[in-house]
Amino acid sequence: MTQEVITIERHILEQERAHPEATGVFTSLLYDIALAAKIVARETRRAGLVEILGLAGRTNVQGEAQMKLDVFANETLIRINSYTGRVAVMASEEEEDIIRIPEGYPTGRYVLVFDPLDGSSNIDVNVSIGTIFGIYRRRTKEGPGTVEDCLQPGRNLVAAGYVIYGSSTMMVYTTGNGVHGFTLDPEVGEFLLSHPNIRLPEKPKYYSVNHGNEPYWTEGVRRFTRWLQGLDEESPRKPLSSRYIGSLVADFHRNLLAGGIFYYPADRKDPRKPHGKLRLLYEAIPLAFIVEHAGGYASDGTQPILDITPTSLHQRTPLFIGNRDLVEQAEAFIARYDQPST
Ligand code: AHM
Ligand code: MG
């Protein structure tokens, strides 16, 4: 039996046809992101060869060292989306301010938020890295897009996705109608549907957290972790295995396919970072949208990530994401041990 080959372009088009009001702009925007992903994938593959590894000599707005590939990925996404007339404004983890459409070019009705290359500290040790993105409709009616267009809760997303640059390059996205994964055929240069309708397996396999931070965890997070390890008397009978890469897209992708929970809780390690490490707008919200459409759940420990309205572009949040029952269990431990009873 021969199997049908479905390219990402055809897939997005078919999804859009389900909406009679659609104009094709959205399809093109997603396809532009896939194009950017292909360019970044090419550069990632060549990273070790052409000496583009190492620091670019400046730090990003979070005060972290920025590697050259981050700059490249950031600029690629901006260049591809600035001149198409599909986007009103963008926001990137690597840019302090919103990214406006250059003067003289039309603004569109979509808002693109992205982390161009997450996990960049892993580049020079050949560990998987990724791009994360979310797409909103603009809120303002006309003119240049604004910060308010970017600061929307995840419930308003029209699409979200990520690209993982691993042993192969994959793009996973959802428009709210199933989560679908595509693998890049490097010879053909196309993303081909390889993982239709991804659902979190009911039986989770892994928990993923940076155990090095344990001394700084709250009591609730510590007890929740013991529960996952089978050390709490109310633990599920079989303890989960631990897996942690330290590259959010890779950790998330593995747990999405195998089942489990990833968490980066608030900790007391750095008083400047009381809300954990991950960014609400570029990391937590898009992945929360994906996980919910795959049957899972994401929380900041007390509330659904998708219900939070960001108040600033680079806001951080604790993140618990994966199988719904595990994330709800984390919330229960936090409510019991970390929140002063009133
Ligand atoms: P980055 O945006 O600077 O690349 O940092 C985010 C990364 C995530 O990919 C990952 O989940 C996390 O940092 C790992 O942090 P840690 O090394 O503290 O465990
Ligand atoms: Mg990041």
Side-chain angles (χ1 to χ4, degrees), residues 64 93 118-120 210 244 246-248 262 264 277 279 283:
E64 300 153 335
E93 191 186 298
D118 184 68
S120 46
N210 184 342
Y244 190 73
S247 191
L248 180 60
F262 169 95
Y264 207 111
K277 178 181 183 190
R279 284 65 165 190
E283 297 171 327

Side-chain angles (χ1 to χ4, degrees), residues 129-151:
I129 44 183
T131 298
I132 310 172
F133 65 90
I135 300 173
Y136 295 97
R137 272 189 204 90
R138 67 181 300 176
R139 278 177 152 169
T140 47
K141 294 272 179 291
E142 53 192 12
T146 64
V147 176
E148 286 64 42
D149 287 320
C150 299
L151 298 179

Side-chain angles (χ1 to χ4, degrees), residues 308-322:
I308 305 172
T309 303
T311 52
S312 68
L313 290 174
H314 297 287
Q315 185 174 344
R316 296 176 194 263
T317 180
L319 176 66
F320 298 79
I321 189 164

Side-chain angles (χ1 to χ4, degrees), residues 112-175:
L112 178 61
V113 298
F114 56 88
D115 182 351
L117 208 61
D118 184 68
S120 46
S121 64
N122 287 317
I123 295 169
D124 48 5
V125 288
N126 240 323
V127 166
S128 300
I129 44 183
T131 298
I132 310 172
F133 65 90
I135 300 173
Y136 295 97
R137 272 189 204 90
R138 67 181 300 176
R139 278 177 152 169
T140 47
K141 294 272 179 291
E142 53 192 12
T146 64
V147 176
E148 286 64 42
D149 287 320
C150 299
L151 298 179
Q152 300 192 48
R155 299 267 175 229
N156 292 359
L157 278 170
V158 286
Y162 61 85
V163 182
I164 177 165
Y165 310 98
S167 47
S168 57
T169 300
M170 268 191 81
M171 179 158 160
V172 174
Y173 86 98
T174 179
T175 56

Side-chain angles (χ1 to χ4, degrees), residues 218-257:
T218 60
E219 183 63 13
V221 171
R222 208 167 290 145
R223 287 193 185 242
F224 170 61
T225 306
R226 286 176 62 78
W227 180 86
L228 292 168
Q229 293 167 325
L231 299 173
D232 185 284
E233 49 193 45
E234 288 164 30
S235 287
R237 238 168 298 143
K238 203 167 170 293
L240 296 185
S241 271
S242 153
R243 290 280 189 286
Y244 190 73
I245 297 171
S247 191
L248 180 60
V249 171
D251 278 308
F252 177 80
H253 182 69
R254 182 202 52 242
N255 289 5
L256 182 67
L257 298 184

